[in-house]
Amino acid sequence: MPRYRWREPEAVPDWALSLAEHPLLAALLYRRGIRDRRAAQRFLSPSLNDLPDPFGLPDVGRAVDLIARTERNAGRVVVFGDYDVDGLTATTVLVHLFRSVGFTVVPMVPHRLRDGYGFRQHHVPHVLEQRPALLVTVDCGTGDWDALEAVRRAGVPVIVLDHHDVHDSDWPADLVFVSAKRGETPEAFRTLAAVGVAYQLVRAVLGDEQAARWLPLVALGTVADVVPLVGMNRILVALGLEAFWEHAPIGLHALALQAGLRVGSRITAWHCGYILGPRLNAAGRMDDPRLALELLLSEDATRAQELARTLSELNAARQRAIERMLRDADERLRDRSALPPVLVLADETWHVGLVGLAASKLVSRYARPVVLLAREAEVSRGSARSVDGFDISLALERCRDLLLDHGGHSAAAGLTVPTERIADLEARLLELAWAVFGEDGPALPLELDLELRPYQIALDTVELLGRLEPCGHGNPVPRCLLRDVVAVNPTLTHDGRHVRFTVVARDGTVRQAVWFDGGKEVERLRQGGRIDIAFTLRRSSWNGGERVELDVIDIRPTRG
C-alpha cells in the first residue's frame, strides 16, 4: 500500500509566466493561487503597508476605548494566556503593550496538566485577588462565558482576544470580544493566530511603527501555531523574522544562542517551528509553562541564559520520551500482519502531554489516522491526528456515546475515554475509516509544485525558490519532481534510520540525495530500476563549500 498519493504539478498557462521574472518562480506563484502581477509583488515583497486597518477586526475599537477609560492607578491589568507558544508570545506582547502605556501588569498562564485549557471557574479567585482594573484573556476565553461573567460581576471589565472557533454566540453583551472567528470577522483576519489577534490591538493602540518592535514574537507564535502563512500572516512572519536579531527580546536571543544559532544568522520559519518553538513548548509539556513566560519577559541576561539552558534540557527530555513512545508503538505494530486504516494505541507509561506530538509523528510514518492514549485505571486521555480525507473531529463526534469528552478540528483532536471502552472506540473508528477509505486504504497526499530537469537542480534554483519564504502551513517548501533517474550506491546511516544515495540522470547529471527516515526503503533503492523522485532542495556543506542535495520525500518506478 503506497504511503503517498502523488499529485503532479498542474499545467501553467502561457500568460502566467509573466507573474515573475523567472518561469519557475512564476509557475510556483500560479500554483499557489496567485493570478496577477500585483498580487505576486505583494507576495514576494511583504510590507506593513499591505496590512489591513486593525479596526476592521470586530470589537478592536471597543477594546481601545476600554483601555483608554481604565485608570492607570485603579489597579493592575491581569493578562491570562495559554501554555503553548502562541499563547505565551501573545501574553508577552500584551504585557509589553500595557506596560508601555503605564499599567502594572500581572501575567498568568494555566498549567497544562493541573488546570487544562481555557479560563475556568477555579481561575476566578486567583484573578480577583490581584484586585485588577481589567482582565484580558488571550488564546482562550471563547466559550468560557460563565467564568468570565463571574469576573465581570465582581466589577472587573473583560477583554477576550482569541482565534478559536466560536460555537456559542451567546456571549455577554458587555464583554469586549475580539475574535478572528466571529461570524462578521472580515476574511483578512480569519486565519490569524492568537498572537496575531493581540498584535492588531497593539497596532490600534500604538500604531504600526511602534508596534513593529514586537514582530519577532508575533512571527514565532504564528509559525508555532501552524496557521496558514499567507495573507496577513505571511507579512507578520516575514517582517518579524527579518527583524529577529534587532528586536527579539533578551530571552529569545538567549534561547536562539543556546540552540546553536549565531547572532546575525538568517532565522527562518523552520527555526521557529523546529528549534525555538519546541523549546518553549517543552516548559508546559514537561514542567511549568511559567518558565517559558519568564524567559520571554526577562530583562536580565544572566537569568535568561539560565532559563534558556533549562528549556533546552526539558526539550531534550521531551525528545527522549517521544522516542521511547515511538519505539513502543513501532514494536506493537511490527507484530501485526497488516495495518488497520486507523491506529489506536494506549499505554500506562505514556505522558499525556506528549501523546499529540507522538501521534503526529506516527501519522507521518504510517500514513493513516492515529489515536494515542495515556492509559490509566479508570479513565484514559489522549490525542488524535489524522490524514487528508478523514475528519477526526467528526469521527470522534460519531463515537460520543463512548467518550467522556472530546474536541478539536478535522486534523487534530483531544479525547477522554473510559479505559474499559478503548476497544469499543477502536472498533467504531475502524468501521468509520473503512467506510471513508475503502479498499485503497489511507495515504498522505503529496502535492508536487514543480517538475525539474536534472540541470536545474542547482544552488541558483535553491536561491530562487527561497523567494517563497517564509514557508510553512499553507505555503509549504516547494516540492519537486525528477523523472527517470537511477539511484546508485544507497547507504544506510549508522543507526539505520536514514539513507544516502547518488542520483544519476540520463543526461549524465549526478546529484547527491538523502532520505531522512528512509532506512526502511533502502531495498527499493537497491533494486536498481529507473525511478521518479519527489523531493525538496537543500543546501549542504561539502569540501569547504556548498552544494545542493535532494531531500527525498518518496520514490516510485518510472512509467513507460
Side-chain angles (χ1 to χ4, degrees):
M1 189 178 294
R3 183 181 177 197
Y4 290 101
R5 289 197 178 96
W6 294 31
R7 296 173 183 168
E8 296 193 10
E10 63 175 309
V12 176
D14 290 342
W15 66 261
L17 298 179
S18 66
L19 289 173
E21 66 276 9
H22 194 287
L24 286 180
L25 187 58
L28 273 172
L29 294 172
Y30 178 83
R31 290 172 181 141
R32 298 284 161 100
I34 294 170
R35 295 293 185 266
D36 65 76
R37 184 87 184 194
R38 185 160 178 252
Q41 186 61 33
R42 286 199 304 269
F43 185 88
L44 295 173
S45 302
S47 169
L48 287 177
N49 294 329
D50 292 327
L51 291 177
D53 184 345
F55 287 92
L57 186 58
D59 269 10
V60 162
R62 290 181 65 205
V64 172
D65 290 343
L66 177 56
I67 292 167
R69 293 197 313 270
T70 303
E71 294 290 337
R72 271 47 175 177
N73 59 2
R76 304 169 174 180
V77 172
V78 173
V79 177
F80 187 97
D82 188 29
Y83 42 68
D84 68 2
V85 178
D86 186 24
L88 292 165
T89 52
T91 301
T92 303
V93 166
L94 291 172
V95 169
H96 285 305
L97 167 65
F98 284 106
R99 284 177 178 170
S100 74
V101 294
F103 287 101
T104 299
V105 188
V106 179
M108 294 183 179
V109 290
H111 191 280
R112 180 184 287 269
L113 299 183
R114 289 196 300 267
D115 295 316
Y117 170 75
F119 187 79
R120 306 295 179 87
Q121 288 287 354
H122 67 270
H123 294 124
V124 174
H126 299 294
V127 169
L128 295 181
E129 71 185 14
Q130 299 295 328
R131 300 185 181 276
L134 178 65
L135 168 66
V136 180
T137 72
V138 65
D139 202 19
C140 62
T142 299
D144 298 330
W145 312 137
D146 290 344
L148 294 171
E149 187 63 13
V151 174
R152 289 186 60 262
R153 284 198 302 270
V156 180
V158 176
I159 298 173
V160 172
L161 302 165
D162 204 359
H163 72 131
H164 291 96
D165 289 340
V166 181
H167 299 295
D168 178 6
S169 60
D170 191 24
W171 59 83
D174 291 337
L175 181 75
V176 178
F177 184 36
V178 182
S179 170
K181 295 294 175 63
R182 283 175 56 155
E184 69 272 33
T185 297
E187 192 64 31
F189 298 95
R190 296 193 69 83
T191 63
L192 288 173
V195 71
V197 174
Y199 190 68
Q200 305 313 307
L201 179 61
V202 179
R203 293 175 62 212
V205 173
L206 299 179
D208 278 327
E209 187 174 343
Q210 290 191 60
R213 75 187 94 161
W214 295 303
L215 277 172
L217 287 164
V218 179
L220 175 56
T222 298
V223 173
D225 218 52
V226 201
V227 294
L229 297 188
V230 296
M232 195 181 340
N233 288 332
R234 177 175 174 81
I235 297 171
L236 298 176
V237 172
L239 299 180
L241 295 177
E242 187 178 294
F244 182 90
W245 293 110
E246 181 181 1
H247 289 313
I250 289 173
L252 206 47
H253 271 218
L255 191 65
L257 294 174
Q258 178 67 33
L261 303 179
R262 298 188 314 277
V263 173
S265 62
R266 185 184 180 208
I267 305 297
T268 68
W270 183 87
H271 292 110
C272 292
Y274 293 95
I275 302 296
L276 301 175
R279 283 167 166 77
L280 290 170
N281 263 332
R285 294 184 185 279
M286 306 299 290
D287 195 328
D288 192 319
R290 289 177 296 183
L291 292 169
L293 184 61
E294 183 185 354
L295 173 75
L296 293 177
L297 290 169
S298 178
E299 297 180 359
D300 181 320
T302 301
R303 177 58 177 159
Q305 290 168 3
E306 293 172 357
L307 288 165
R309 282 194 295 273
T310 297
L311 294 191
S312 291
E313 291 164 0
L314 289 172
N315 188 53
R318 175 196 66 80
Q319 290 172 322
R320 290 192 295 270
I322 288 177
E323 284 300 319
R324 286 194 297 272
M325 293 168 67
L326 295 176
R327 284 197 300 272
D328 290 348
D330 286 341
E331 288 174 7
R332 296 188 194 187
L333 297 173
R334 199 175 295 125
D335 296 335
R336 301 191 183 187
S337 56
L339 289 179
V342 176
L343 304 179
V344 179
L345 301 169
D347 194 282
E348 59 274 5
T349 67
W350 290 348
H351 192 303
V352 69
L354 302 180
V355 287
L357 296 175
S360 294
K361 290 182 178 292
L362 290 172
V363 168
S364 297
R365 188 171 295 182
Y366 291 102
R368 62 202 62 229
V370 174
V371 178
L372 290 191
L373 297 162
R375 182 197 295 269
E376 295 185 11
E378 300 294 330
V379 173
S380 298
R381 291 184 294 161
S383 291
R385 299 292 185 269
S386 195
V387 299
D388 190 45
F390 189 77
D391 186 328
I392 192 64
S393 180
L394 179 60
L396 291 176
E397 175 63 21
R398 292 175 176 171
C399 302
R400 64 184 181 275
D401 57 307
L402 305 175
L403 303 174
L404 299 174
D405 193 19
H406 71 91
H409 52 79
S410 62
L415 67 154
T416 304
V417 57
T419 299
E420 64 181 9
R421 304 304 298 271
I422 291 175
D424 297 331
L425 174 65
E426 180 179 20
R428 181 84 58 82
L429 288 174
L430 286 174
E431 181 182 331
L432 294 170
W434 283 120
V436 169
F437 295 125
E439 294 185 1
D440 290 341
L444 300 175
L446 179 53
E447 299 278 356
L448 297 170
D449 297 293
L450 289 174
E451 181 174 348
L452 295 182
R453 301 289 182 259
Y455 72 88
Q456 293 174 310
I457 301 175
L459 288 173
D460 286 349
T461 304
V462 177
E463 288 288 339
L464 183 71
L465 302 191
R467 298 280 305 278
L468 266 70
E469 289 284 355
C471 292
H473 179 57
N475 181 45
V477 172
R479 291 157 296 197
C480 305
L481 169 62
L482 180 64
R483 298 184 194 271
D484 195 21
V485 296
V486 174
V488 176
N489 193 30
T491 304
L492 290 170
T493 55
H494 71 279
D495 59 3
R497 288 181 57 189
H498 318 301
V499 59
R500 286 189 167 275
F501 59 97
T502 300
V503 176
V504 180
R506 285 192 182 274
D507 66 0
T509 301
V510 176
R511 295 289 184 266
Q512 299 304 309
V514 58
W515 194 347
F516 292 105
D517 287 322
K520 295 178 181 177
E521 309 291 347
V522 69
E523 291 307 319
R524 289 173 65 195
L525 291 168
R526 287 173 175 164
Q527 290 171 4
R530 306 200 72 83
I531 59 173
D532 301 337
I533 304 178
F535 63 98
T536 60
L537 291 173
R538 67 192 302 267
R539 294 176 183 271
S540 69
S541 299
W542 184 70
N543 271 359
E546 285 189 327
R547 69 179 181 186
V548 63
E549 288 186 338
L550 286 71
D551 191 339
V552 177
I553 303 169
D554 197 18
I555 63 171
R556 69 182 183 189
T558 297
R559 297 169 184 162

